[in-house]
Amino acid sequence: MGHDMGNAGRRQRRKEERPGEILEAAFEEFARSGFAATKLDDVAARAGITKGTIYLYFPSKEDLFLATVREMNRPSQENLAALTAVPQGSAMAILRTHFAFVYEHMVEDRRAREILRMLMAEVSRFPDLADRWRAEVIGPAVENLRRVVRYGIERGEFRASAAEEFPHLLFAPVMMACTWRLMFGDDHALDGAAYLAGHLDLMERGLAQGVGEGGGV
Amino acid sequence: MGHDMGNAGRRQRRKEERPGEILEAAFEEFARSGFAATKLDDVAARAGITKGTIYLYFPSKEDLFLATVREMNRPSQENLAALTAVPQGSAMAILRTHFAFVYEHMVEDRRAREILRMLMAEVSRFPDLADRWRAEVIGPAVENLRRVVRYGIERGEFRASAAEEFPHLLFAPVMMACTWRLMFGDDHALDGAAYLAGHLDLMERGLAQGVGEGGGV
Amino acid sequence: MGHDMGNAGRRQRRKEERPGEILEAAFEEFARSGFAATKLDDVAARAGITKGTIYLYFPSKEDLFLATVREMNRPSQENLAALTAVPQGSAMAILRTHFAFVYEHMVEDRRAREILRMLMAEVSRFPDLADRWRAEVIGPAVENLRRVVRYGIERGEFRASAAEEFPHLLFAPVMMACTWRLMFGDDHALDGAAYLAGHLDLMERGLAQGVGEGGGV
Amino acid sequence: MGHDMGNAGRRQRRKEERPGEILEAAFEEFARSGFAATKLDDVAARAGITKGTIYLYFPSKEDLFLATVREMNRPSQENLAALTAVPQGSAMAILRTHFAFVYEHMVEDRRAREILRMLMAEVSRFPDLADRWRAEVIGPAVENLRRVVRYGIERGEFRASAAEEFPHLLFAPVMMACTWRLMFGDDHALDGAAYLAGHLDLMERGLAQGVGEGGGV
DNA sequence: AATGAATGAGGGTTCATTCAT
DNA sequence: TATGAATGAACCCTCATTCAT
C-alpha cells in the first residue's frame, strides 16, 4: 500500500545471486527433511523470497532437488580432482595427506555429510543421482586410492593385500565417521584427531610390508 | 499369491497374522520411498487389504513407521545379544567368527541394510529412533568389540591401539559395505568372501603385536 | 480365549430389550453430539454391544435416529393426550394445573429438552420430524391451550385477548426455560418454583378480566 | 453471479473481500447442516472459490465455524448495546419500542434465528460459544429489561412482580417466535404485527399497576 | 523479476455399512 | 443373535504449481 520505494532497492539487489541463495536454502531443507517432506514454502522462507519466485529459476521441485545435489557436489569434485596428481614420495605419506584432507572435507564438513544422507534417502526416487555420484565422485576417489596402494606395493612399501582390490577398506573409517555423525548427531561424533590418527595407524600396520617379509607376496 | 481358494479369501479374519503382514508390507514401502513419500494405499495394496484395515492395528502412519522399525530391529537385537558371551581362545578367532556373523546379518540381509537407510533418512522426524538404535543395537555391538580387543591385548595377542578406544574402526568396513550396497544397488555390491577376507586380513595385521615388538605371541 | 461359558448367559438374557437399550444409548449420543457427529461405535459402546448388532435392529443410522426421536416422544404424547379432557371449573385453575404439569414434563425432564434440541438441529436433514412433532405434539398442545382460553372467556373469567389467537404467548415461558437450560446448562437454569409462579402470576394478570372493566374491551 | 466479465473473474485477487464472502457462505452451510455435516467443499462452492482457498484465511473448519458465529453475532451486539440508554418517559413505551426493535432483529432477521440454532446444536462441541453469547448478548439484554422493569416499578407504573427477577418472562414470546419459525419454517411463522401486539398487550396487563390497587404490593 | 492469491489433485484419517463366522 | 474384522467412500487438510498483477 502507498509508495513502496523503500524495498525497491532490496529487489534490485543481486539477480544472479538468487539461484544460489535458493539452492542454499533448498539444501538446508532437503537435508533436514528429505525430498518429500520438504515444503517449497519453507525453502522460500529460508531464502527470504516467496514460493512463486522459486519457479522463476527452477521448473519443479524435482529439478530444484537435482540442482541442489549437483551444486553441493561441485566443491568435492574440484577437491578430489586435485588429488589425482602423480604420486611421489612415501605412499604412506600420501595416504596421510589424503585422509587428512578427506576427513576435513567429508567428515567435518556438514554439507558433505548431508549430501550422503540425501543420496541414500532418495536413491529410489532419483536413481541417476547415485550413479552419477559414483561415476564422478566416489569412483574416482576409489581409483585414486587404488593407485596409491599400487604405488606403495610397487615401491616395496606396502605388501600385496586386499586393499588393492578393495580400496574401500581403507576408506571405510571415513564413511563410518560420516554415517555415525549423521545418525547420532554432532554430540556423539566420533571424529577428531584421535580417530583419524587411529585410522592411519591401523591402516599403516595393515598395509605395511611386515618386518623380515622381504619384497614378495 | 499362495493358495487362495476362490473368493473365499476376501474378508478373511486373521487378527493374529494381520499386524505382521502389514508391518511386512510397510517395511517394503517405507524402505523404498521413505516415510513421507509412502502412501498407506500402497502399503495396504501390498498387504492385500484396504487402507482402512491398517487403522484397525495401527493408530497412525507414524505409529506404523515406528512399529515397523522396531519389528525389523528385533532380529538384530537378538542376534547381537548372542554375542555377549565371555570371550575365550584366540581373540582374532573371535573376531573372525564375529565378523562372519555380522556380514551375514548386516550386509547380506537386505532388511538390516534398509533399516539403516530408514534411520538415516528419518532421523530428524523421529529423533528417538536413532537414539534407541544406538542404545540397544549399535552401542552394545561396539562395546562387545571393545571387550574382544581388550581381551586380545590382555593376552598379548594384540598390541595397544586406537581400536580400543574406537572399535568403530574395526567395524567400519561393514558399514562401508552396507552403505555402498544401499546406494549403488546389488549389482555393484562390494561384498562377498573376498571383501570379508580382505577386511579380516587388514584388521589382523593392524591389530597384531608386531614381530619382534616384544610381548607378542 | 479359553472357555467362554461365562458370558453365555449375558447374551441370552433379554432379546426384546435390546432395541430399547439401543434407543436409549442412541438418544444420549444423538442428544450430545447431533446426528452427523454421533458415531455408531459410541452408541454401541454405551449400549454394551458391538456396532454390528445395531444393524440387526435398525437398517441404518438414519432409521436409528428417527426411531430414537419417535421413541422419546411417545411419553409426551400420552401425557399431553391426558390433557384433552373437557374443561370444568376455573379456567385459571386449569391453566395452573396444566403448566405445573408442563413444567415438570418439558422443562425439568432432560429428555424432553434434548428432543427439542435434536429437532431444531436436524430440521433440514429430517424435515418430516418437525412436521410430525407439530402435528402430533405441539399442535394439539396449542389447541388445548386455546380451548382453555376460550372457555375462560366464555365464562367471563378472561378478557378477550391475543392469547386466543396465539396461545403460544402463554406457552412461551416454557420454551424460554427449555432453551435457556439447553444452551447454558443446568447450572444456569431458570426454572424452579419461583419462575413458574412468576409465569402464572403474569399470565393471570394478563388474561384476567380487569377490575371494573365490565365484559367488554 | 453479478457482473462477471468473461473468464477474467477467475483467480481474482480479492484479499480484502474474501474472508467476508467465505464467512457468508459458511454461515449458510453451517446453518443448514450443522457443523459436522457441513462440507468445506460446499462452503467453497457457495463462495465461488475452491476448498484450498478457505485455508488461506481460516486455519481449520473449527476456526471457520467460530469466526462465522462471531461475525454473525456482531450486529446483535451493536444493536443491543444501543438499548442501554438511560430510560425516560413511560416504562411501557420503552418496552414497546424495545420489543418492536427486538422482533425486527431477532425474529424477522433470519440470521439471528440461525445463530440461535447453531448455538443450540453445537453447544457440546463448542461450549465457549454459548457462554460467550450469554455474557455478551443475552445477559446484557436481560439486564436491560430488568432495568426498565425496575424503572417502571419506581415510577409507580408497574407493580412489583416476578418480571423483576425473571425478565426472561417478558422476553419469552420472542424466543417462542424464534424457535417456532426455526423449527416449522417461514410458512408456519407466528410472527407478524398481531403476535407482537398480543405480546405487548398481555405484557402490559401483566405488569401494570392494577386499577384501585394503589401503590402497594 | 517478484509477488501471493488461487487452484486442485492427493493423502491421512474416519466411520457407516457389510459379511463370514 | 451377536460379533468384529474388513471395506470403501468421503472429508479435512496440505502443498506443488499456476497466473494475474
Side-chain angles (χ1 to χ4, degrees):
Chain A
M1 241 182 270
H3 46 87
D4 51 344
M5 289 174 47
N7 58 0
R10 191 191 288 167
R11 198 177 293 181
Q12 233 80 12
R13 186 167 42 122
R14 62 204 171 174
K15 292 176 192 172
E16 285 115 36
E17 299 171 20
R18 273 277 179 271
E21 292 170 0
I22 293 172
L23 287 172
E24 179 64 30
F27 170 74
E28 296 298 338
E29 295 296 324
F30 283 135
R32 180 192 317 284
S33 315
F35 177 79
T38 290
K39 300 178 236 179
L40 291 191
D41 265 321
D42 291 345
V43 173
R46 184 183 282 271
I49 57 177
T50 61
K51 200 164 41 169
T53 304
I54 295 176
Y55 284 85
L56 295 178
Y57 300 96
F58 304 95
S60 74
K61 190 186 180 186
E62 289 212 351
D63 287 284
L64 176 60
F65 184 79
L66 292 169
T68 301
V69 174
R70 266 179 226 126
E71 169 73 8
M72 295 302 144
N73 259 339
R74 216 190 314 161
S76 316
Q77 288 177 244
E78 290 166 0
N79 291 333
L80 290 171
L83 290 173
T84 45
V86 177
Q88 39 179 306
S90 154
M92 193 58 214
I94 296 174
L95 289 181
R96 278 183 214 281
T97 308
H98 176 79
F99 279 110
F101 180 89
V102 166
Y103 268 80
E104 191 176 346
H105 289 84
M106 285 204 65
V107 181
E108 305 198 354
D109 178 14
R110 187 176 62 84
R111 276 184 156 69
R113 269 180 275 135
E114 298 291 0
I115 288 289
L116 182 65
R117 190 209 303 280
M118 289 159 72
L119 290 172
M120 274 191 58
E122 313 296 346
V123 154
S124 79
R125 191 192 286 259
F126 302 96
D128 294 349
L129 276 187
D131 288 347
R132 175 174 303 204
W133 197 62
R134 201 185 67 246
E136 297 180 0
V137 182
I138 288 299
V142 167
E143 280 315 307
N144 186 49
L145 266 182
R146 179 174 288 135
R147 221 174 324 138
V148 177
V149 170
R150 280 189 181 140
Y151 170 73
I153 294 174
E154 281 163 14
R155 74 197 300 264
E157 187 180 346
F158 294 159
R159 66 186 176 100
S161 72
E164 194 179 348
E165 187 185 354
F166 297 116
H168 316 73
L169 291 166
L170 307 183
F171 193 70
V174 176
M175 288 296 279
M176 183 70 179
C178 272
T179 54
W180 191 272
R181 199 160 175 178
L182 273 176
M183 294 200 54
F184 306 132
D186 293 349
D187 294 347
H188 297 88
L190 280 182
D191 39 6
Y195 183 84
L196 169 57
H199 173 197
L200 292 172
D201 173 50
L202 283 174
M203 185 171 65
E204 180 168 11
R205 286 282 189 141
L207 290 176
Q209 193 62 265
V211 174
E213 283 188 85
V217 173
Chain B
M1 241 182 268
H3 43 87
D4 195 29
M5 298 149 48
N7 64 351
R10 308 209 56 201
R11 273 185 185 263
Q12 294 169 52
R13 282 206 232 167
R14 327 190 237 169
K15 176 110 182 165
E16 309 298 311
E17 305 161 22
R18 276 279 181 265
E21 293 169 1
I22 293 171
L23 287 173
E24 179 64 32
F27 170 75
E28 296 298 337
E29 295 295 323
F30 283 136
R32 180 193 316 284
S33 315
F35 178 79
T38 291
K39 300 177 237 178
L40 290 191
D41 266 322
D42 292 344
V43 173
R46 183 184 283 270
I49 56 179
T50 60
K51 201 166 36 169
T53 303
I54 295 176
Y55 284 85
L56 294 178
Y57 301 95
F58 303 95
S60 74
K61 190 186 180 186
E62 288 211 351
D63 286 282
L64 176 59
F65 183 80
L66 292 169
T68 300
V69 174
R70 261 177 230 128
E71 170 73 8
M72 297 301 144
N73 258 338
R74 216 190 319 161
S76 318
Q77 288 180 247
E78 288 166 1
N79 291 332
L80 289 170
L83 291 173
T84 46
V86 177
Q88 43 179 308
S90 154
M92 193 58 214
I94 296 174
L95 289 182
R96 277 183 213 282
T97 307
H98 177 81
F99 279 110
F101 181 89
V102 166
Y103 267 81
E104 190 175 345
H105 288 86
M106 286 203 66
V107 182
E108 304 199 356
D109 178 13
R110 187 176 61 87
R111 277 183 155 71
R113 270 180 274 134
E114 298 291 359
I115 287 289
L116 181 65
R117 189 209 303 282
M118 289 159 71
L119 290 172
M120 274 192 57
E122 312 295 347
V123 151
S124 81
R125 191 192 285 258
F126 302 96
D128 294 349
L129 275 188
D131 287 348
R132 175 174 300 205
W133 197 63
R134 200 185 68 247
E136 296 180 0
V137 181
I138 289 299
V142 167
E143 281 314 306
N144 187 47
L145 266 183
R146 178 174 289 134
R147 219 174 326 138
V148 177
V149 170
R150 281 189 181 141
Y151 170 73
I153 294 174
E154 281 164 16
R155 74 197 300 263
E157 187 181 346
F158 294 158
R159 65 189 177 98
S161 73
E164 194 180 350
E165 187 185 354
F166 298 116
H168 317 72
L169 291 167
L170 307 183
F171 192 70
V174 176
M175 289 295 279
M176 183 70 178
C178 273
T179 54
W180 191 273
R181 199 160 174 178
L182 273 177
M183 295 198 54
F184 306 132
D186 293 350
D187 294 347
H188 297 87
L190 279 182
D191 41 6
Y195 183 84
L196 170 58
H199 173 198
L200 292 172
D201 173 50
L202 283 174
M203 184 172 64
E204 181 167 11
R205 286 281 192 141
L207 292 176
Q209 193 62 267
V211 174
E213 285 186 87
V217 174
Chain C
M1 248 185 262
H3 46 87
D4 50 346
M5 289 174 46
N7 60 359
R10 190 192 288 167
R11 198 178 290 180
Q12 233 80 12
R13 185 166 44 122
R14 61 205 172 177
K15 292 175 193 174
E16 284 115 39
E17 299 173 19
R18 272 278 180 272
E21 292 170 0
I22 294 171
L23 288 172
E24 178 65 30
F27 169 76
E28 296 298 338
E29 295 297 323
F30 283 135
R32 180 192 318 283
S33 315
F35 177 80
T38 290
K39 299 176 239 180
L40 291 192
D41 264 323
D42 292 345
V43 173
R46 184 183 281 271
I49 56 177
T50 61
K51 200 165 40 169
T53 304
I54 296 175
Y55 285 85
L56 294 178
Y57 300 96
F58 304 94
S60 74
K61 190 184 180 186
E62 289 211 351
D63 287 284
L64 175 61
F65 183 79
L66 291 169
T68 301
V69 174
R70 265 179 225 126
E71 170 72 9
M72 296 301 144
N73 258 340
R74 214 190 314 162
S76 317
Q77 288 180 242
E78 288 166 2
N79 291 334
L80 290 170
L83 290 173
T84 45
V86 178
Q88 43 179 307
S90 154
M92 193 57 213
I94 295 174
L95 288 182
R96 278 184 213 281
T97 308
H98 176 81
F99 279 110
F101 180 89
V102 165
Y103 267 80
E104 191 174 346
H105 289 83
M106 285 204 65
V107 181
E108 305 199 355
D109 178 14
R110 187 176 61 88
R111 275 185 156 68
R113 270 180 275 135
E114 297 293 358
I115 287 288
L116 181 65
R117 189 209 302 280
M118 289 159 70
L119 290 172
M120 273 191 58
E122 312 296 347
V123 152
S124 79
R125 190 192 286 258
F126 303 96
D128 294 349
L129 275 187
D131 287 348
R132 175 173 303 203
W133 197 61
R134 201 186 66 247
E136 297 180 0
V137 181
I138 289 299
V142 167
E143 280 315 306
N144 186 47
L145 266 182
R146 179 174 287 133
R147 219 173 325 138
V148 177
V149 170
R150 282 191 179 137
Y151 170 72
I153 294 174
E154 280 164 15
R155 74 198 298 264
E157 185 179 347
F158 294 159
R159 65 187 177 100
S161 74
E164 194 180 348
E165 187 185 353
F166 298 117
H168 318 72
L169 291 166
L170 307 184
F171 192 70
V174 176
M175 288 295 279
M176 183 69 178
C178 273
T179 55
W180 191 273
R181 201 160 174 178
L182 272 177
M183 295 199 53
F184 307 132
D186 293 350
D187 294 347
H188 297 88
L190 280 179
D191 42 4
Y195 182 84
L196 169 58
H199 172 199
L200 292 172
D201 173 51
L202 284 173
M203 185 171 63
E204 180 167 13
R205 286 283 192 140
L207 291 175
Q209 194 62 265
V211 175
E213 284 188 88
V217 174
Chain D
M1 237 180 273
H3 44 87
D4 193 30
M5 298 150 47
N7 64 352
R10 308 209 56 203
R11 275 186 182 261
Q12 295 169 53
R13 283 206 232 165
R14 325 190 237 171
K15 174 111 184 166
E16 309 297 311
E17 304 162 23
R18 277 279 182 266
E21 294 169 0
I22 293 171
L23 287 172
E24 179 64 31
F27 170 75
E28 297 298 337
E29 295 295 324
F30 283 136
R32 180 193 315 285
S33 314
F35 178 80
T38 290
K39 299 176 241 180
L40 291 192
D41 266 321
D42 291 345
V43 172
R46 184 183 283 269
I49 57 178
T50 60
K51 200 167 36 171
T53 302
I54 295 175
Y55 285 86
L56 294 178
Y57 302 95
F58 303 95
S60 73
K61 190 185 180 186
E62 287 211 353
D63 285 281
L64 176 60
F65 184 79
L66 291 169
T68 300
V69 174
R70 261 176 230 130
E71 171 72 10
M72 296 301 145
N73 257 340
R74 216 189 318 162
S76 319
Q77 288 179 247
E78 289 166 1
N79 291 333
L80 291 171
L83 290 174
T84 45
V86 178
Q88 44 180 306
S90 155
M92 193 57 213
I94 295 173
L95 289 182
R96 278 184 213 280
T97 308
H98 176 81
F99 279 109
F101 180 88
V102 166
Y103 268 81
E104 190 174 346
H105 289 85
M106 286 202 65
V107 182
E108 305 200 353
D109 178 13
R110 187 176 61 87
R111 275 185 158 70
R113 271 180 273 134
E114 299 291 359
I115 287 289
L116 182 65
R117 189 210 302 282
M118 289 159 70
L119 290 173
M120 274 191 57
E122 311 296 346
V123 152
S124 79
R125 191 192 286 257
F126 302 96
D128 294 349
L129 275 187
D131 287 348
R132 175 173 301 205
W133 196 62
R134 200 185 69 246
E136 296 180 1
V137 181
I138 289 298
V142 167
E143 280 315 304
N144 186 47
L145 266 182
R146 178 174 288 133
R147 219 172 328 136
V148 178
V149 171
R150 283 190 179 139
Y151 170 73
I153 294 174
E154 281 164 16
R155 75 197 300 265
E157 186 180 347
F158 295 158
R159 65 187 177 99
S161 73
E164 194 180 350
E165 187 185 353
F166 297 116
H168 317 73
L169 291 166
L170 307 183
F171 192 70
V174 176
M175 287 295 278
M176 183 70 179
C178 274
T179 53
W180 191 272
R181 199 158 173 179
L182 273 177
M183 295 198 54
F184 307 131
D186 293 350
D187 295 346
H188 298 88
L190 279 180
D191 41 5
Y195 182 84
L196 169 57
H199 172 199
L200 293 171
D201 173 51
L202 284 174
M203 183 171 66
E204 180 166 14
R205 287 283 192 138
L207 291 174
Q209 195 62 266
V211 174
E213 284 187 86
V217 175

